[in-house]
């Protein structure tokens, strides 16, 4: 019997749900461990409080002398909550969060000590961060990286540490994190959107980008996960035959949440409430042991921080419940993978959702302006948007089961498609009074009624309009939302900037009225953006052929997709909008390509080890039992033994064939990997890993999975899919 596998299964079956007590209302818990507005009013001087609020709302700088007052209040609050250390909490380009803890404790001589935390420690630190990915930005002699306080995202206490959200930049000022470009993109969006809003409401002074993410994940018992070297080291199963029952019956989706999983969710939600993460929704997802949680929408920068923090909290809470959280986009073959839908919208400081229609033709024209400009932005930058969600994990998910394809397209629904068709026929130039009246009453004026029926039914669209927001569904479950949000906000900000230039030119040079100019520009955008609009099923060759005919890209792999990040067009776009310079863009491209190579390299090593050191020896062991059985039959029956041993002989041959194929494929994979590792050009190395190393994974897996069906279950070493997916 395979001791580890069956010991893990027995351990799992003996588990009981962890008892969770919820004595307080969630509204009372919410933000208790966050240095939010209410807490600042209590612990800061009036001057310090006003300074922080001005920085949060208007982006004004905080004077160093005021920073000392802020740090003092923050320290006193943190210590009163049990904190002993502080840390600058940042998001380097590893994809996870980073922190270095320093104690408030400081000696003052004569055997005495105090708790100290000054403004300089709050505002800036120099972490020992030379090992973080930098894409060649930092040379050895200037390898320092600096973290700087981001006051727009409140500090929080996690465990016994005061965590201060920060940006992370190099000695020479280039961004080394996800937050810095995001903040720049949000500023660009604010500037561009406010300028366009002035056409409709002169009182608008600020436009906020909102984000609501939906985090999908798998929960696997920790003992079962620990019994699988592939899950431990790569976050996914590299082999394993599909269980007889998967998700065919759709009986897990929105079903009753298993008791252990529910206890985990309740515990997690309590932690989230304390940290100010406004989680609201929880449910079973489509695949067995797959779940989802989603928060209330928040300002985009804060929402990105919350999601990064949440993933860390999910890991820590799972340990208390004897679970392993799998964030990988495709941890199991044959069932749905996991995404992180990014629901994106824009709202003004006057309380208007710019992607929601209003009660008047003017407010609906404003809606159409931002709606159509977003479509145009995606149409013109679909390759860059695809690059924003490219990763080794997401390559497995895109185009599989219910996940969107690698081809970027927009779903807006039949009714809104009809509205755009009406607008496409607007007269070129000044509109007649009759046409303007008909347009406002019969097209623009009726948009709210249209949206009442515009329910989203297309689950395969990578970018869909869902009533009052766009949902970017192609984002992978492990992704830092900062990456796709930086790209999306940058391309829309650039599009809005160009739109205003075009409208102003028509008003000035053609002496058009504002509405006429807006309608004329929008009409051209509709005509030029038709290729990106698609209402059908995103799967299959038919759509791929149609997409090719339309001129849409279909980059199925990460090395192909990422090239869009360093095209002349993309580099100029980021530079023009002040989001990233050429050095920063090229560094990110190199980092993401290297990350792809490293992940495939690790998976190859793990798969080779499992195949040769776990699967093949057990197959040989079982084959020896069969051979012994055949020898015994021959001793009994003599020359006629084949009549009784034919099935065993067939099994022996089949097992030999699979063993031979596994060994030869592992050898080929190892040789291809060694050859690729000698390449100095990172692009060529990524190409070879993608097209020469990775394809051998499927062949090795095929033969291992066939052996799983042939070898005695009692000695099979790897925990099977039926055990991983159906043991709660």
């Amino acid at each position: 019997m395979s001791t580890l596998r069956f010991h893990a299964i027995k351990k799992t079956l003996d588990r009981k749900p962890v008892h969770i007590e919820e004595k307080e209302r969630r509204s009372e818990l919410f933000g208790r461990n966050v240095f939010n507005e209410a807490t600042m009013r209590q612990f800061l001087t009036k001057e310090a409080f006003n300074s922080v609020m001005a920085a949060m709302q208007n982006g004004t700088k905080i004077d160093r002398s005021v920073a000392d007052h802020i740090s003092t209040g923050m320290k006193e609050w943190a210590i009163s909550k049990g904190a002993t250390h502080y840390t600058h909490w940042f998001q380097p380009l590893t994809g996870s969060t980073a922190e270095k803890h320093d104690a408030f404790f400081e000696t003052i001589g004569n055997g005495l000590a105090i708790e100290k935390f000054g403004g300089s420690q709050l505002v800036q630190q120099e972490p020992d961060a030379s090992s973080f990915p930098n894409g060649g930005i930092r040379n050895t002699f200037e390898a320092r990286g600096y973290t700087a306080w981001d006051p727009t995202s409140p500090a929080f206490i996690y465990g016994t540490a005061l965590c201060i959200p920060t940006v992370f930049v190099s000695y020479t000022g280039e961004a080394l994190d996800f937050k810095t470009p995001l903040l720049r993109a949000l500023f660009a969006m604010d500037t561009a959107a406010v300028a366009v809003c002035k056409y409709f409401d002169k009182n608008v002074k600020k436009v906020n980008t909102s984000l609501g993410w939906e985090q999908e994940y798998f929960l696997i018992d920790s003992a079962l996960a620990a019994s699988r070297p592939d899950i431990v080291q790569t976050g996914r199963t590299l082999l394993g035959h599909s269980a007889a029952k998967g998700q065919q019956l759709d009986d897990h989706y929105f079903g009753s949440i298993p008791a252990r999983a529910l206890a985990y969710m309740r515990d997690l939600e309590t932690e989230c409430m304390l940290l100010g993460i406004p989680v609201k929704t929880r449910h079973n997802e489509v695949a067995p042991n797959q779940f989802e949680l989603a928060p209330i929408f928040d300002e985009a920068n804060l929402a990105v921080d919350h999601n990064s923090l949440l993933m860390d909290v999910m890991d820590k809470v799972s340990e208390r419940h004897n679970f392993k959280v799998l964030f990988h986009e495709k941890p199991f073959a044959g069932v749905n993978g996991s995404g992180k839908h990014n629901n994106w919208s824009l709202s003004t400081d006057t309380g208007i959702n710019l992607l929601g229609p209003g009660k008047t033709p003017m407010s609906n024209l404003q809606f159409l302006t931002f709606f159509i400009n977003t479509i145009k932005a995606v149409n013109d930058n679909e390759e860059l948007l695809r690059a924003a969600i490219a990763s080794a994990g997401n390559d497995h998910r895109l185009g599989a089961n219910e996940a969107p394809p690698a081809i970027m397209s927009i779903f807006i629904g039949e009714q809104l498609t009809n509205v755009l068709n009406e607008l496409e026929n607007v007269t070129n130039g000044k509109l007649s009074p009759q046409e303007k009246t008909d347009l406002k009453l019969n097209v623009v004026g009726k948009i709210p009624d249209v949206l009442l029926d515009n329910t989203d039914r297309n689950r395969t669209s990578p970018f869909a309009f869902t009533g009052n927001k766009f949902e970017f569904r192609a984002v992978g479950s492990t992704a830092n939302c900062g990456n796709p949000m930086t790209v999306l906000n940058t391309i829309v900000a650039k599009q809005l900037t160009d739109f205003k230039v075009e409208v102003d030119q028509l008003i000035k040079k053609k002496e058009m009225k504002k509405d006429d100019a807006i309608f004329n520009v929008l009409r051209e955008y509709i005509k030029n953006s038709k290729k990106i609009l698609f209402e059908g099923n995103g799967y299959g060759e038919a759509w791929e052929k149609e997409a090719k005919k339309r001129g849409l890209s279909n980059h199925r792999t990460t090395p192909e997709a990422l090239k869009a990040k360093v095209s002349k067009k993309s580099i100029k776009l980021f530079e023009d909008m002040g989001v990233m310079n050429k050095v920063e863009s090229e560094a990110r491209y190199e980092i993401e390509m290297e990350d792809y190579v490293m992940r495939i390299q690790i998976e190859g090593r793990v798969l080779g080890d499992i195949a040769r050191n776990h699967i093949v020896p057990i197959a040989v062991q079982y084959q020896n039992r069969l051979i012994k059985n055949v020898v015994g039959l021959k001793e009994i029956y003599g020359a006629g033994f084949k009549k009784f041993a034919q099935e065993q002989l067939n099994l022996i041959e089949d097992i030999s064939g699979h063993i031979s194929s596994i060994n030869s494929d592992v050898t080929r994979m190892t040789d291809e990997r060694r050859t690729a590792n000698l390449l100095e050009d990172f692009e060529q190395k990524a190409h070879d890993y993608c097209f020469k190393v990775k394809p051998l994974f499927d062949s090795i897996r095929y033969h291992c999975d066939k052996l799983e069906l042939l070898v005695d279950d009692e000695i099979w070493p790897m925990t099977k899919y039926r055990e991983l997916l159906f043991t709660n």
Side-chain angles (χ1 to χ4, degrees), residues 345-377:
S345 192
L346 302 168
S347 59
T348 68
D349 58 344
T350 58
I352 301 299
N353 181 347
L354 296 172
L355 291 175
K359 296 179 180 179
T360 66
M362 180 58 72
S363 61
N364 290 331
L365 181 55
Q366 179 175 260
F367 156 72
L368 283 171
T369 295
F370 284 89
F371 177 70
I372 294 170
N373 270 282
T374 301
I375 292 172
K376 178 72 159 49

Side-chain angles (χ1 to χ4, degrees), residues 14-88:
D14 291 338
R15 307 275 200 209
K16 295 290 186 287
V18 175
H19 178 66
I20 302 297
E21 281 192 35
E22 295 177 279
K23 295 182 179 179
E24 296 180 79
R25 293 185 179 186
R26 302 208 163 176
S27 57
E28 295 170 346
L29 290 173
F30 187 70
R32 184 176 291 177
N33 290 344
V34 180
F35 199 62
N36 52 27
E37 183 176 338
T39 305
M40 285 192 289
R41 287 184 184 277
Q42 184 180 352
F43 283 86
L44 297 184
T45 64
K46 185 176 181 180
E47 180 188 9
F49 173 79
N50 290 336
S51 182
V52 176
M53 295 305 293
M56 292 173 65
Q57 295 169 1
N58 306 316
T60 55
K61 290 188 177 180
I62 295 175
D63 187 83
R64 274 299 177 101
S65 62
V66 178
D68 283 329
H69 293 295
I70 298 169
S71 63
T72 299
M74 196 180 287
K75 177 197 70 177
E76 292 305 315
W77 168 74
I79 291 174
S80 74
K81 303 287 288 184
T84 57
H85 290 67
Y86 65 91
T87 180
H88 276 201

Side-chain angles (χ1 to χ4, degrees), residues 154-168:
F156 56 91
I157 293 173
Y158 191 37
T160 58
L162 169 66
C163 300
I164 303 156
T166 59
V167 297
F168 180 42

Side-chain angles (χ1 to χ4, degrees), residues 375-434:
I375 292 172
K376 178 72 159 49
V378 174
N379 179 82
D380 294 353
N381 299 278
E382 46 94 9
E383 286 190 275
L384 182 57
L385 207 59
R386 166 67 180 95
I389 47 94
S391 70
N394 218 16
D395 282 358
H396 293 287
R397 168 179 167 259
L398 294 177
N401 294 80
E402 284 193 359
I407 304 166
M408 293 294 105
S409 66
I410 299 177
F411 171 87
I412 63 172
E414 183 181 351
Q415 292 89 345
L416 281 173
T417 299
N418 293 335
V419 170
L420 297 193
N421 290 337
E422 293 273 358
L423 289 174
E424 189 181 349
N425 296 319
V426 170
T427 300
N428 187 4
K430 296 179 181 179
L431 280 66
S432 68
Q434 178 63 41

